[in-house]
Structure formats: C-alpha cells, structure tokens
Amino acid sequence: MEVLKQSGLSSASLEIPDKGDGSDCTGIFSGNLSVDLSEGSKWNISRSGFCGMRSKKFDGFIDLDGYDAIALRLRGDGRCYISTIYTENWVNSPGQSEDNSWQAFVFAPKDSWYTAKIPLARYLPTWRGNVIDVEMEMNPGRVLGMSLSVNAEGGAVGAKSGAGDFRAEIDWIKALRLP
C-alpha cells in the first residue's frame, strides 16, 4: 500500500518490519492527526485531520462476487478506522475519472487483537468522505482497490477521537463467505 498524498499537517506511514525469520509481517499504519490548517498553502483546504493509505490500482479487477464480507485482523489504539473499497466508476457523471468508493467503520480496540467482519452490504457509497444519499448496491465483481484511513472526528460511539497520534497494526485482510 502507499501513503495517500497529504496536503494538511497530518502525517502517516505504513511500516512493515522485517522479523528476520521469513515469516509473514504485520503492517503498522501510524502517524499524527492534526486539525490545524497550514497557512499559505497552494491547496484550498477547508477540512483537516485525515490520514490514509491506499493500495495501488489492481491490474484488472478483484472479483468479490462470491463473498459476503471483508475481515481485518488488527490491533489498535481505541480509534475508529475507515475501510474503503473502490469499484469501477459507474455511479459518477460521465467524464469523472474517480472510482466509486464504499466505506465502513472499523473499531480497533486498544492493545488487543481483534477480527472485524464487515458485511459488504454495510459499506456505504461515499464521495470525498461523505455518504451519498442514494439507493444503490456495490458491484463486488469490479473492485479496483482498497484503503484504510483515520479521521480526527467521527466514528463509533466511545471510540478515541481528536487530534494526536494514532497506530493500528494490520495482521491480514481477507474476503469471507458468511454462514
């Protein structure tokens, strides 16, 4: 995964430490969320406090049609993270190059491993982080990429929020068939 370009004062990285024994490694998504806006920026920024990492676009599509959910095994800091699935653009207006994005919250309990299972039907259509108020279904057969992000504001009730450091360890991400 690559770190998304940031134009605010928040920072993030994805680190995959080498255990030295050839075993699979856990990714560490960490950084600092800032709600401050940089003065004199060439970007017209009206919101801040966001960091994310996104996969490169897949060659072709990932077909999740035979699956019901995405599962993530993670250990966090008590914050709520956002799992995003990008699908082929068939909702936006003609000429728009952005992929469709579908988002769901993932709570990452502090200091303990947790397997979150998110039914694909729970992913909501979004545009620039805002839910689109339309009735539509994701096309799971046309997945182009995925991402994980964190916001200073919002999330699950009782989850840690606000500016400051964040850290989530990701052991794996899988597609599941639910009983």
Side-chain angles (χ1 to χ4, degrees):
M1 293 198 139
E2 61 186 32
V3 175
L4 291 175
K5 294 177 184 167
Q6 303 297 317
S7 54
L9 299 176
S10 297
S11 61
S13 67
L14 174 63
E15 184 182 349
I16 303 175
D18 184 1
K19 295 180 184 176
D21 61 3
S23 64
D24 291 338
C25 298
T26 298
I28 301 169
F29 175 49
S30 63
N32 183 274
L33 292 169
S34 172
V35 294
D36 298 328
L37 297 173
S38 55
E39 292 184 32
S41 171
K42 66 179 182 176
W43 305 103
N44 182 15
I45 302 171
S46 59
R47 299 185 310 176
S48 60
F50 165 85
C51 286
M53 60 177 177
R54 180 177 178 169
S55 68
K56 292 183 178 182
K57 274 196 171 183
F58 302 138
D59 252 350
F61 299 103
I62 299 280
D63 185 354
L64 297 179
D65 225 4
Y67 298 91
D68 307 303
I70 296 293
L72 301 94
R73 184 169 188 266
L74 60 152
R75 175 169 50 193
D77 54 4
R79 286 189 184 268
C80 199
Y81 290 80
I82 302 165
S83 170
T84 305
I85 297 173
Y86 298 94
T87 59
E88 180 180 44
N89 179 351
W90 57 275
V91 175
N92 295 331
S93 302
Q96 279 186 301
S97 61
E98 293 183 39
D99 307 325
N100 296 136
S101 58
W102 305 82
Q103 297 183 326
F105 287 116
V106 181
F107 178 66
K110 185 173 174 56
D111 300 328
S112 59
W113 285 104
Y114 174 70
T115 300
K117 297 176 183 173
I118 310 163
L120 293 177
R122 296 256 331 263
Y123 281 83
L124 300 174
T126 62
W127 186 72
R128 295 189 178 178
N130 297 305
V131 174
I132 300 171
D133 188 19
V134 294
E135 289 189 35
M136 59 173 41
E137 291 184 21
M138 177 195 311
N139 181 353
R142 308 292 278 191
V143 174
L144 295 166
M146 297 182 74
S147 72
L148 189 67
S149 57
V150 61
N151 289 336
E153 306 290 326
V157 175
K160 179 180 175 182
S161 63
D165 293 338
F166 67 90
R167 177 185 169 99
E169 296 175 64
I170 303 109
D171 190 26
W172 47 256
I173 301 171
K174 299 178 181 180
L176 295 179
R177 290 182 184 94
L178 299 176

